Amino acid sequence: MAEMSSVFRLFVPMSTIVSPSILSANFSNLGKDVEMLHKSDCEWIHIDVMDGVFVPNISFGLPVIKSIRRHTDKPFDVHLMIQNPDDFLEDFKNAGADMLTVHLEACTHLHRTIAEIKKLGMKAGVALNPHTPVSSLEEIISDLDLVLIMSVNPGFGGQKFIPSAIDKVKKLKQLISEKGSNTLIEVDGGVNLETGKQLVEAGANALVAGSFVFGSENPATTISKLKSL
Ligand code: DX5
Ligand code: ZN
């Protein structure tokens, strides 16, 4: 498992952080794809957990995370698209998560959830669906290590980028600097070299990319290209 100190170092990004989403990997040979990511230039590995309730799809859960943990020590950036994440925070820590991102829309007591994630020794993130305004984070932004702006409606890989995400990144950057916080901005959904460039220019620190990476001829090269944005 990754040392927390190395995860922390990644929270002072020098270049764009790339977090490939294994939702688009080959599930029948996941270990091989994770090893490819391990050797690539990506900083994090994005892991999409879906429960079929919060989002209209089911992906994979704790045993899969646990079993790929042995293939890499890169930080696991776990995106929980589940209802009641509070019931499973410690389980995700034990499975090997380094960063845990919950959806604002799925948490009634978000402040408590974030405090609990940190208490367990993980970095804490909040994801916003496309309809959720950045202003809803005003009172909690200083407590967050990461905000994940969804640039598609969560549930599936390979969807079309929603352009209003660019404005949300700008607003979020403004909020972060007003509050003097060092929260990172990550964007997820429909990211490619074109949308990625616009997002980085708007202030994004980290890009999630699933189908663009795994659907390309050479995923490792695609990761390097995203990193250089
Ligand atoms: C969508 C997931 C994404 C997804 C992105 O619900 O949260 O992480 O894997 O896939 P692409 O990059 O193909 O849009
Ligand atoms: Zn995701």
Side-chain angles (χ1 to χ4, degrees):
M1 186 183 299
E3 291 296 316
M4 284 317 289
S5 58
S6 71
V7 177
F8 189 77
R9 258 189 282 119
L10 292 169
F11 272 72
V12 189
M14 300 304 285
S15 62
T16 303
I17 292 170
V18 181
S19 192
S21 164
I22 58 164
L23 188 64
S24 292
N26 178 1
F27 289 171
S28 70
N29 208 343
L30 200 48
K32 189 166 163 253
D33 278 354
V34 172
E35 276 165 22
M36 178 279 291
L37 294 179
H38 181 72
K39 290 188 200 126
S40 82
D41 277 346
C42 75
E43 280 83 3
W44 303 342
I45 296 177
H46 189 82
I47 298 179
D48 288 305
V49 178
M50 305 179 186
D51 66 353
V53 179
F54 179 70
V55 287
N57 196 10
I58 296 174
S59 56
F60 47 74
L62 295 158
V64 171
I65 298 176
K66 212 173 196 161
S67 75
I68 59 172
R69 186 66 283 184
R70 75 178 86 101
H71 292 281
T72 182
D73 60 0
K74 288 194 177 184
F76 277 1
D77 164 30
V78 178
H79 177 192
L80 295 184
M81 285 161 275
I82 65 173
Q83 227 30 281
N84 302 322
D86 304 80
D87 297 347
F88 300 99
L89 304 179
E90 191 166 5
D91 294 328
F92 280 103
K93 169 72 186 173
N94 293 337
D98 299 287
M99 291 170 257
L100 210 52
T101 295
V102 294
H103 267 264
L104 178 140
E105 303 84 3
C107 296
T108 311
H109 302 286
L110 185 61
H111 187 274
R112 180 186 291 152
T113 306
I114 294 302
E116 188 60 30
I117 293 173
K118 289 179 161 182
K119 204 169 113 193
L120 288 164
M122 294 178 283
K123 297 289 176 185
V126 169
L128 299 184
N129 276 339
H131 74 277
T132 305
V134 164
S135 58
S136 54
L137 294 173
E138 258 173 43
E139 307 304 328
I140 199 161
I141 191 76
S142 309
D143 295 313
L144 304 180
D145 297 304
L146 182 85
V147 173
L148 182 62
I149 298 282
M150 291 308 300
S151 40
V152 296
N153 283 295
F156 304 92
Q159 301 183 82
K160 199 170 173 297
F161 182 78
I162 300 173
S164 55
I166 294 166
D167 238 34
K168 284 179 81 173
V169 170
K170 289 182 189 161
K171 282 185 189 152
L172 179 57
K173 198 183 162 155
Q174 173 76 18
L175 178 65
I176 289 169
S177 79
E178 270 167 25
K179 300 276 181 181
S181 138
N182 52 11
T183 312
L184 292 183
I185 303 174
E186 184 176 32
V187 187
D188 185 5
V191 171
N192 55 34
L193 290 177
E194 196 185 324
T195 55
K197 188 170 190 308
Q198 292 171 279
L199 291 165
V200 169
E201 280 169 5
N205 308 109
L207 299 174
V208 176
S211 53
F212 184 62
V213 166
F214 287 98
S216 69
E217 208 157 296
N218 188 331
T221 308
T222 304
I223 290 167
S224 306
K225 285 183 186 165
L226 284 166
K227 192 182 156 97
S228 70
L229 289 177

